[in-house]
Amino acid sequence: NAGVTQTPKFRILKIGQSMTLQCTQDMNHNYMYWYRQDPGMGLKLIYYSVGAGITDKGEVPNGYNVSRSTTEDFPLRLELAAPSQTSVYFCASSYSSSGNTIYFGEGSWLTVV
Amino acid sequence: GQSLEQPSEVTAVEGAIVQINCTYQTSGFYGLSWYQQHDGGAPTFLSYNALDGLEETGRFSSFLSRSDSYGYLLLQELQMKDSASYFCAVMNRDDKIIFGKGTRLHILP
C-alpha cells in the first residue's frame, strides 16, 4: 500500500550543490506533480507531467529540472542550490487532472545553507 | 494569470459550524477541490466540485458557484482534530492544479 514515495525525507545542502529528489508511485497514475511549500504558505507548482515523456513548467520552475522516463518515476533535480530553495517539497500523482483525488507523498524537507 | 483568495485564519468553537471561502480567477476552469493539511503532514483530499451546488461528505460539505468564481468548504460539528490548514485548489483544462495559500483553522474548546 505504498502510494507515492519520496526520498530523501530530510536533506541539508550547501549553496551551489546539486541533488535529485526521487518520487515514485505505484498506482499507475498518468499525472504527476512537484510542489514546494514554504513555511506557513500554500503549495506552489514547480513542474508537472501528464504521462511518460511529457513534462511542463508550473508556477515556479526556475532552478529545477524534471524528467519522466517511466509512468512510475518523476524525479526533481535541483541544480546549483540556493537558500531560496529551502522548502518542503511534495510529489503528488493523480489518475487525471479533472477532479480525481491527488495523492501526495509525505514530503521532503530541504535546507540550503 | 491565475489566483485564489482565501482567508489566512479562521477561529471557531468545538461543536460549531465554520465556513471557509475561496474565490478564484483562472482561465480554463474545470473544478475546485479542497485539501486538509495537519502540521508536518501532507495534504489530503477532502472534496471536489465541478458543477454548481453543494457536495456533502459526512461532516464536510463543499459548494461551488461557477458564475461567481466562488466556493466554500463547510465543516460541521467541529472537533479538535479538525484544527489544520485547509487549501482550495483549481483544476484547469491545461492540466495544472493551482493551490491557494491556505486557511489556518483554530478550534477553541
Side-chain angles (χ1 to χ4, degrees), chain B residues 41-108:
Chain B
T44 55
F45 174 82
L46 291 176
S47 67
Y48 172 74
N49 297 70
L51 303 176
D52 286 356
L54 192 68
E55 294 282 342
E56 297 180 76
T57 309
R59 294 188 297 115
F60 292 36
S61 302
S62 58
F63 172 83
L64 176 66
S65 168
R66 295 175 70 106
S67 60
D68 295 324
S69 297
Y70 164 76
Y72 66 72
L73 178 69
L74 192 72
L75 295 82
Q76 303 182 73
E77 301 173 16
L78 284 171
Q79 302 175 10
M80 296 305 293
K81 67 178 182 179
D82 298 329
S83 294
S85 292
Y86 293 83
F87 297 88
C88 57
V90 292
M91 276 67 172
N92 293 316
R93 295 185 189 277
D94 62 1
D95 296 317
K96 290 179 181 175
I97 300 176
I98 304 299
F99 282 75
K101 293 182 179 179
T103 299
R104 182 90 179 182
L105 174 61
H106 303 279
I107 300 177
L108 303 175

Side-chain angles (χ1 to χ4, degrees), chain A residues 9-102:
Chain A
K9 194 169 179 66
F10 300 96
R11 181 74 186 267
I12 298 175
L13 272 182
K14 293 185 178 179
I15 295 172
Q17 286 185 321
S18 300
M19 74 161 296
T20 299
L21 296 175
Q22 302 291 345
C23 176
T24 187
Q25 51 93 8
D26 62 359
M27 296 173 282
N28 201 32
H29 285 166
N30 291 320
Y31 290 70
M32 295 189 75
Y33 312 86
W34 273 107
Y35 290 90
R36 61 174 286 174
Q37 185 176 32
D38 297 333
M41 300 296 287
L43 294 98
K44 290 290 189 183
L45 181 64
I46 306 172
Y47 271 95
Y48 65 105
S49 168
V50 301
I54 306 169
T55 62
D56 212 340
K57 295 178 180 179
E59 303 171 273
V60 289
N62 291 344
Y64 307 94
N65 277 301
V66 293
S67 60
R68 185 92 184 272
S69 57
T70 66
T71 298
E72 295 77 20
D73 300 307
F74 190 41
L76 177 72
R77 177 87 177 157
L78 281 74
E79 304 282 1
L80 298 174
S84 62
Q85 293 179 302
T86 294
S87 191
V88 182
Y89 291 83
F90 289 100
C91 180
S93 74
S94 67
Y95 179 72
S96 74
S97 66
S98 55
N100 292 93
T101 303
I102 307 172

